[in-house]
Amino acid sequence: MQKYIKLLKKIKSIIPNHIKPKFKNEIDLLNWNKKEGFLSSKSILRQNKARRMKKILQNSGIKKLYINCSFENYKVFHIGQEKVLNASKEYVKNFNSQFSNFVFSGKPGTGKNHLAAAIGNYLILNGKSILIITIADLMSKIKKTFNLKNEHTEEYFIKKSSEVDLLIIDEIGIQKESNYEKIIIHQIIDRRSASKKSTGILSNLNLNHLNILLGERIIDRMRLGKLLCLNFNWDSYRSFVNVNDI
């Protein structure tokens, strides 16, 4: 601080009398430094927060198409869509106080992914960790660990999938039936249920068909706590949605 005081005195001694300096005394200079330091700190905090948020979004698995999905830009054309929208809002509202899993069933293009991403984006903004992954991508990552050169193990991906606050598994039902997949899904859902961590499933199949495909043990784990089942039983409305609006 002393060097600034000396600099201020030197400047005052050489500037013409008709020019008024910005700082009249050492206290003015000190207050200015404090203010600038505070503004600089706020700027650094904003930049760090933006970097953290970018990293969280990159790790969330939310695809570029759905990165801006929210409850506000979900298109409602009829009462069925209004019902699933309100139920999804209620789900995130009670997320902290109520252990609850969900199953979104319906044909492609009916809004399952939009609302799943909206739930994920909402929770991320409220400090939660989420992961959205297709069953095909999950199994591909795990099967790559069979290669001895892979730096990760099967346990690594199971553990990673088990630790996030909300895991959403997409496209269950379009893959070939596999006992190995059932074992992996059961391990993940079992661990998550034991830790009271919520899991979401997106599928073209309804709950009864999922029970047949995955097995009663997996669906039974999903029923722990409260299970939200929403049927998106209407035709695709992608042709009515402008991707630039989301």
Side-chain angles (χ1 to χ4, degrees), residues 136-196:
D137 285 344
L138 176 61
M139 296 311 300
S140 176
K141 289 178 183 293
I142 290 175
K143 287 176 180 177
K144 284 180 181 178
T145 65
F146 298 165
N147 186 331
L148 295 178
K149 294 181 180 179
N150 195 305
E151 61 178 316
H152 298 304
T153 63
E154 175 187 271
E155 172 61 21
Y156 169 84
F157 288 107
I158 293 176
K159 187 172 184 290
K160 184 177 179 182
S161 301
S162 303
E163 290 178 339
V164 291
D165 295 315
L166 175 64
L167 172 69
I168 301 175
I169 308 175
D170 189 13
E171 295 184 356
I172 287 186
I174 68 170
Q175 77 277 19
K176 293 181 180 179
E177 188 173 346
S178 164
N179 286 329
Y180 180 66
E181 287 186 6
K182 289 181 183 179
I183 292 170
I184 294 298
I185 295 172
H186 181 269
Q187 285 188 56
I188 292 172
I189 292 179
D190 187 53
R191 289 191 191 187
R192 295 186 60 77
S193 298
S195 303
K196 289 189 176 181

Side-chain angles (χ1 to χ4, degrees), residues 23-220:
F23 312 113
K24 295 180 180 179
N25 50 53
E26 293 84 353
I27 295 176
D28 286 348
L29 177 60
L30 179 62
N31 289 335
W32 178 83
N33 269 294
K34 286 181 178 179
K35 182 180 179 181
E36 289 299 307
F38 176 72
L39 292 175
S40 178
S41 296
K42 285 185 70 175
S43 176
I44 292 171
L45 288 173
R46 283 196 301 269
Q47 291 173 17
N48 289 340
K49 185 177 180 180
R51 279 194 286 267
R52 284 197 302 271
M53 185 60 68
K54 184 178 180 181
K55 185 177 181 179
I56 290 170
L57 286 169
Q58 288 173 340
N59 293 336
S60 71
I62 299 177
K63 300 293 190 291
K64 186 176 181 180
L65 179 62
Y66 303 109
I67 203 72
N68 294 316
C69 284
S70 66
F71 299 127
E72 288 71 26
N73 58 25
Y74 178 75
K75 302 294 183 181
V76 174
F77 298 107
H78 52 71
I79 192 170
Q81 291 165 337
E82 184 177 358
K83 178 182 176 181
V84 297
L85 173 61
N86 290 336
S88 299
K89 288 180 178 179
E90 191 70 16
Y91 180 84
V92 296
K93 178 182 175 182
N94 298 320
F95 190 83
N96 288 328
S97 60
Q98 180 175 271
F99 169 52
S100 178
N101 301 311
F102 66 81
V103 175
F104 289 177
S105 302
K107 292 184 289 187
T110 50
K112 301 188 300 296
N113 288 91
H114 185 120
L115 283 183
I119 288 172
N121 285 327
Y122 180 95
L123 292 177
I124 286 172
L125 290 175
N126 284 273
K128 301 299 181 182
S129 58
I130 74 114
L131 174 63
I132 299 179
I133 189 167
T134 67
I135 186 63
D137 285 344
L138 176 61
M139 296 311 300
S140 176
K141 289 178 183 293
I142 290 175
K143 287 176 180 177
K144 284 180 181 178
T145 65
F146 298 165
N147 186 331
L148 295 178
K149 294 181 180 179
N150 195 305
E151 61 178 316
H152 298 304
T153 63
E154 175 187 271
E155 172 61 21
Y156 169 84
F157 288 107
I158 293 176
K159 187 172 184 290
K160 184 177 179 182
S161 301
S162 303
E163 290 178 339
V164 291
D165 295 315
L166 175 64
L167 172 69
I168 301 175
I169 308 175
D170 189 13
E171 295 184 356
I172 287 186
I174 68 170
Q175 77 277 19
K176 293 181 180 179
E177 188 173 346
S178 164
N179 286 329
Y180 180 66
E181 287 186 6
K182 289 181 183 179
I183 292 170
I184 294 298
I185 295 172
H186 181 269
Q187 285 188 56
I188 292 172
I189 292 179
D190 187 53
R191 289 191 191 187
R192 295 186 60 77
S193 298
S195 303
K196 289 189 176 181
K197 289 186 178 294
S198 300
T199 304
I201 287 178
L202 310 184
S203 177
N204 297 342
L205 305 176
N206 60 33
L207 192 61
N208 289 332
H209 287 132
L210 282 172
N211 193 51
I212 295 170
L213 175 70
L214 299 177
E216 189 174 344
R217 293 178 65 188
I218 293 176
I219 300 302
D220 187 57

